[in-house]
Amino acid sequence: MTKADIVTKVAKALKIKQVVAEKTICTVLDTIKQGIIDEGKVTIRGFGCFNTRNKSERQGRNPKTGKPAIITARRVASFKAYNPFKHQVNSLK
């Protein structure tokens, strides 16, 4: 599913114009992004938690050449689904 698909579904469900739905979706996503950047964590009850993790510098390998390379330390975003959402996903099997 793409962002465009989500916009279309939201517009139909709320009976609003596509433009308004797109602005709404973009605002929600931007708010989540900014929350992760500023606070390091965004929690949505019943859905999950977006947070950041620090990854330390490590030794890696260049996939093209096979030569060793240093992978720099960085911060990465991650998502952990909460149980209600996990159960919904698992019940679809």
Side-chain angles (χ1 to χ4, degrees), residues 9-64:
K9 286 183 182 255
V10 168
K12 283 182 183 176
L14 299 178
K15 297 178 182 158
I16 58 176
K17 293 183 180 182
Q18 291 266 126
V19 176
V20 176
E22 184 171 6
K23 273 189 173 182
T24 304
I25 297 300
C26 287
T27 302
V28 170
L29 293 176
D30 288 343
T31 304
I32 291 171
K33 286 182 214 174
Q34 201 58 49
I36 293 169
I37 291 167
D38 294 343
E39 300 174 28
K41 186 174 187 178
V42 173
T43 302
I44 302 172
R45 281 198 167 162
F47 183 66
C49 179
F50 298 91
N51 58 18
T52 58
R53 290 189 334 219
N54 291 319
K55 287 194 158 194
S56 56
E57 185 176 275
R58 64 186 174 91
Q59 182 73 32
R61 192 166 34 98
N62 183 330
K64 273 189 176 179

Side-chain angles (χ1 to χ4, degrees), residues 1-10 18 22 25 29:
M1 179 178 278
T2 65
K3 184 172 142 186
D5 295 334
I6 295 170
V7 168
T8 302
K9 286 183 182 255
V10 168
Q18 291 266 126
E22 184 171 6
I25 297 300
L29 293 176

Side-chain angles (χ1 to χ4, degrees), residues 53-93:
R53 290 189 334 219
N54 291 319
K55 287 194 158 194
S56 56
E57 185 176 275
R58 64 186 174 91
Q59 182 73 32
R61 192 166 34 98
N62 183 330
K64 273 189 176 179
T65 63
K67 292 183 181 178
I70 299 294
I71 300 171
T72 58
R74 64 199 182 281
R75 214 167 86 167
V76 296
S78 65
F79 174 75
K80 182 179 187 314
Y82 285 164
N83 282 335
F85 181 50
K86 283 183 190 177
H87 292 307
Q88 280 182 318
V89 170
N90 287 322
S91 69
L92 296 176
K93 288 183 178 180

